[in-house]
Amino acid sequence: MQSTSQTVNDYIDSLADDRKATINQLCDVLRQHLPAGFSEEMSYGMIGYVVPHALYPAGYHTNPKLPLPFINVGSQKNYVVLHHVGLFLDQALLDWFVGEYPKHSKTSLDMGKGCIRFKKADQIPYTLLAELAAKLTPEGWITIYEQQRKAIKSGK
């Protein structure tokens, strides 16, 4: 379910109190640990952490008017979600995360392609997510993104 909120504060204010606290804590972790250069804004109806046009003027390939997405955080009906595009495009990062997850959580990993779902707020491994957030700089993310775009264009 995508929000129509125009600002991050409006998005958070629209949530139920329990989700508000969870999303605030998750965003605080990301704000504290993401390397300098990422921007926080509404993106795809969720809170997004993006590479702004000032650092990557080409923007997102499907819509160059949008900044390059990296991480999105959202509140869905039955869970809190963290979308990390780097996990989808960087196998080494995905392998690291999947290997580390059991060390930080007693629950099994509920994950799709770069989408991590948390059904209970008290089971969110904030320390692990802080480590994950710190793993890629905007420049590192741009490099991975461009490598994947070239591979797709060349049919690899």
Side-chain angles (χ1 to χ4, degrees):
M1 160 171 58
Q2 283 191 349
S3 171
T4 57
S5 296
Q6 297 298 305
T7 69
V8 170
N9 286 338
D10 287 346
Y11 180 84
I12 292 172
D13 288 345
S14 73
L15 301 174
D17 288 343
D18 60 329
R19 286 289 177 92
K20 192 179 297 188
T22 301
I23 295 293
N24 266 323
Q25 185 174 357
L26 188 50
C27 289
D28 285 346
V29 165
L30 295 173
R31 289 177 196 125
Q32 290 172 21
H33 292 90
L34 278 169
F38 289 104
S39 293
E40 180 184 77
E41 62 181 47
M42 289 303 295
S43 174
Y44 298 97
M46 295 176 279
I47 300 169
Y49 297 88
V50 302
V51 179
H53 283 102
L55 290 180
Y56 191 66
Y60 188 43
H61 72 278
T62 61
N63 183 350
K65 291 180 182 177
L66 296 176
L68 181 62
F70 182 53
I71 294 176
N72 285 78
V73 173
S75 177
Q76 300 297 317
K77 182 178 180 182
N78 296 314
Y79 53 85
V80 168
V81 65
L82 183 137
H83 295 274
H84 190 300
V85 189
L87 290 173
F88 178 66
L89 294 181
D90 184 341
Q91 187 64 47
L93 185 62
L94 176 61
D95 291 345
W96 170 83
F97 182 77
V98 170
E100 287 295 311
Y101 191 86
K103 299 173 189 175
H104 295 266
S105 180
K106 294 179 182 179
T107 64
S108 60
L109 180 59
D110 184 0
M111 184 173 177
K113 293 182 177 183
C115 166
I116 310 161
R117 294 173 287 272
F118 302 103
K119 292 182 180 168
K120 295 183 179 180
D122 63 345
Q123 297 173 341
I124 297 175
Y126 292 104
T127 302
L128 177 60
L129 297 179
E131 288 181 56
L132 176 63
K135 289 255 181 216
L136 282 175
T137 64
E139 296 78 17
W141 171 229
I142 291 166
T143 299
I144 291 168
Y145 175 76
E146 288 181 343
Q147 287 171 346
Q148 289 296 319
R149 295 282 304 135
K150 286 177 186 173
I152 290 169
K153 285 181 181 179
S154 67
K156 294 182 180 180

